[in-house]
Amino acid sequence: MGFIDSIPPTVWAVIVLFLLGVIGTFIYKILTIDWRMMDLEPIRKSANEISKIPDDIKSIGNRVGSLETTTAVLEKTTEFVVDKVAALEKTTAALEKTTEIVVNKVDALEKTTETVVNKVDALEKTTAILENTTESISKQVLGLSGQRYTEASSPMSLNDRGRELSKEMGAAEIASKYRAKLVDKARGEDGGPYQIQENCLDCAANEILSDLKEKDKRTFRHLTDIAYNEGVQVEILMRIVGLVLRDQVLQAVNQSS
């Protein structure tokens, strides 16, 4: 303490001023460094950003490479699609030509079909005329052939040989089985004795003869034996049955034979 007390106040003042100067200088240095660091902060940030650029550039490069690959794939796909469209256009053109050909052939077929139909119609009409003509000729032939059993008088009636065969054939019994049917038909039609006669002759030559052949073979055989002995067709003998049936029907509807 003696030493400190022995130092003059002036010296102490110098020492204090020196210490204050040192402290001030130290504080100034610190503040100056902080200020400079603050000034360098933008540069540091820029440096950090710049340091990241290579990674970004690399990423961008990768994306560009991927985009180029995708573009190449799209170009190939587009080329493939264009080829397919071209092929499809060719196929469509071919189909249009084929369709046109088919339509023309269908039109031709329709015309041919129409022609065939017209010819078939004409043939059917001709056939119907021929059938009617044939039926008419057959009736005339049967009528002419049956004249050997009828009188040369009007109305048509059986002669002596016709009456003999009528009994031998059992014509009255055969006719009586179909009389009711022909009577009903005669009353239902606005026809005279001639129409009744035609109906009876047709019934005898067709329905009655067919029924006998199928259902009464004994009677049918008896009639064919008589026809054989007479040298005529059995249909001619059935005209005798038809005339007997006519007389029965006319009597039933109160008309004179």
Side-chain angles (χ1 to χ4, degrees):
M1 290 295 297
F3 173 75
I4 294 174
D5 291 336
S6 63
I7 296 174
T10 304
V11 175
W12 279 111
V14 173
I15 293 171
V16 170
L17 289 174
F18 176 76
L19 291 173
L20 290 174
V22 171
I23 294 171
T25 301
F26 180 75
I27 293 172
Y28 175 76
K29 292 291 185 180
I30 293 174
L31 292 175
T32 302
I33 292 172
D34 290 338
W35 289 338
R36 290 179 179 177
M37 291 299 293
M38 291 177 64
D39 292 337
L40 292 174
E41 183 64 23
I43 297 174
R44 184 182 66 80
K45 291 182 178 180
S46 298
N48 290 334
E49 294 296 329
I50 292 172
S51 66
K52 294 179 181 180
I53 289 176
D55 294 334
D56 293 339
I57 293 174
K58 182 178 180 181
S59 177
I60 293 172
N62 293 335
R63 292 180 182 178
V64 170
S66 177
L67 183 60
E68 290 176 348
T69 302
T70 303
T71 303
V73 173
L74 286 175
E75 289 177 351
K76 290 183 179 180
T77 303
T78 303
E79 183 179 358
F80 176 77
V81 171
V82 169
D83 293 340
K84 288 294 183 182
V85 169
L88 182 60
E89 289 177 349
K90 292 180 180 180
T91 303
T92 302
L95 286 175
E96 289 177 351
K97 291 182 180 179
T98 303
T99 302
E100 184 179 358
I101 294 173
V102 171
V103 169
N104 293 334
K105 287 190 177 293
V106 169
D107 291 339
L109 181 60
E110 288 178 349
K111 292 179 181 179
T112 303
T113 303
E114 183 178 359
T115 302
V116 171
V117 169
N118 293 334
K119 289 184 178 181
V120 169
D121 290 340
L123 182 60
E124 288 178 348
K125 292 179 181 179
T126 303
T127 302
I129 294 173
L130 289 175
E131 288 177 350
N132 293 333
T133 303
T134 302
E135 183 178 359
S136 176
I137 293 174
S138 297
K139 289 182 178 180
Q140 292 178 13
V141 170
L142 291 176
L144 292 173
S145 300
Q147 286 180 356
R148 65 167 70 180
Y149 305 119
T150 59
E151 297 283 357
S153 61
S154 182
M156 189 186 305
S157 60
L158 296 175
N159 58 20
D160 292 340
R161 181 57 182 160
R163 286 189 288 271
E164 290 177 1
L165 288 176
S166 175
K167 293 179 181 179
E168 184 179 351
M169 294 166 54
E173 291 78 7
I174 296 172
S176 63
K177 296 179 182 179
Y178 298 86
R179 178 178 56 200
K181 180 178 180 180
L182 271 295
V183 169
D184 292 340
K185 186 174 182 179
R187 289 173 176 170
E189 292 181 349
D190 186 17
Y194 176 81
Q195 188 61 49
I196 293 175
Q197 175 177 283
E198 291 299 307
N199 291 339
C200 290
L201 291 175
D202 288 342
C203 180
N206 296 293
E207 183 178 352
I208 296 177
L209 184 60
S210 179
D211 285 349
L212 292 175
K213 184 177 182 180
E214 182 179 352
K215 301 174 183 178
D216 190 353
K217 297 186 181 299
R218 182 176 179 180
T219 301
F220 180 77
R221 174 63 184 274
H222 178 62
L223 294 177
T224 56
D225 288 344
I226 295 175
Y228 175 77
N229 293 329
E230 288 291 315
V232 297
Q233 293 179 325
V234 69
E235 287 82 5
I236 295 174
L237 290 182
M238 294 306 294
R239 289 181 66 82
I240 297 175
V241 177
L243 291 176
V244 173
L245 179 60
R246 177 205 63 184
D247 294 340
Q248 292 179 358
V249 172
L250 288 174
Q251 185 178 2
V253 294
N254 297 320
Q255 296 188 33
S256 176
S257 60

